[in-house]
Amino acid sequence: MGMNFLHQLCCRSAYWERHSATNIVPWSLDGLELGDNTLEVGPGYGANVTALRARSAALTGLEIDPELAARLREKRAGRLRVVDGDGTAMPMGDSEFSAVVCFTMLHHVPTPEQQDDLFAEAFRVLRPGGAFAGSDGIDRLPFRLMHLGDTYNPIPPATLPARLARAGFTDIAVETGTGIFRFNAHRPVS
């Protein structure tokens, strides 16, 4: 999914990695256990790898951009398994992961239908009882300006519970913060 040059600079910066590791990931995953095998959809430049590895024994990153996937393999070798692929058609087995997460990337999925496909795929690859969690930005002027020239399709947080329920999730929670929202949902055990 496309990102403009300034957005790319921000996402690969040490500042963003610190901010994500100390603010976004802890807030988004507060109270959730990821289990032993976590999938991050859209890891991009890998800002969340260290924070996620501290919470899960195994981490896989599913990255649609081949250049970013190659960069992750080089820069984060041994920290995560990198799989080239699209979150709307995940090349993973059913019930493979204890948790699926994604952070500030859903707005880069081009259409609401493709976002719903990603939700359905997250449900499919989760084990029963597993959590789907993450965060994304709220559509506000500063967020829009940062995304000029990007693929930009923000999700209104109020619509997310119904969309996740259609994918099969239960125990859905969505909470807004300053310019960002977090969500978590679970695949039912039975």
Side-chain angles (χ1 to χ4, degrees):
M1 312 300 160
M3 286 196 305
N4 68 47
F5 181 70
L6 291 175
H7 193 174
Q8 291 175 36
L9 285 177
C10 176
C11 289
R12 68 179 176 223
S13 70
Y15 163 79
W16 181 252
E17 186 168 347
R18 275 191 313 276
H19 176 69
S20 190
T22 59
N23 295 300
I24 295 172
V25 172
W27 180 67
S28 299
L29 301 180
D30 186 39
L32 289 176
E33 293 294 325
L34 297 182
D36 64 342
N37 192 16
T38 300
L39 171 65
E40 182 180 15
V41 180
Y45 291 96
N48 305 314
V49 171
T50 301
L52 291 173
R53 281 297 304 211
R55 294 172 173 263
S56 184
L59 179 62
T60 297
L62 176 64
E63 180 55 54
I64 194 169
D65 183 315
E67 289 179 21
L68 289 178
R71 186 179 196 276
L72 281 168
R73 283 186 191 94
E74 176 187 328
K75 299 216 178 257
R76 306 295 179 155
R79 304 286 306 169
L80 81 159
R81 174 177 69 118
V82 179
V83 176
D84 290 84
D86 186 336
T88 67
M90 297 183 190
M92 280 89 175
D94 294 353
S95 304
E96 187 173 336
F97 296 96
S98 56
V100 176
V101 297
C102 57
F103 302 96
T104 61
M105 60 70 65
L106 290 171
H107 61 274
H108 287 293
V109 179
T111 68
E113 295 78 19
Q114 289 172 304
Q115 290 168 341
D116 290 342
D117 290 344
L118 187 148
F119 302 152
E121 282 292 278
F123 184 86
R124 181 185 66 78
V125 302
L126 264 177
R127 296 176 193 153
F132 177 44
S135 64
D136 208 27
I138 296 172
D139 187 25
R140 296 169 43 186
L141 182 60
F143 199 54
R144 265 187 246 141
L145 291 174
M146 182 178 174
H147 291 83
L148 288 176
D150 285 7
T151 300
Y152 181 64
N153 182 34
I155 295 175
T159 68
L160 194 53
R163 293 173 72 183
L164 292 173
R166 279 195 303 274
F169 290 103
T170 59
D171 301 320
I172 299 163
V174 177
E175 182 181 343
T176 58
T178 304
I180 193 168
F181 68 90
R182 67 179 175 181
F183 66 91
N184 67 71
H186 293 83
R187 180 173 172 172
V189 174
S190 57

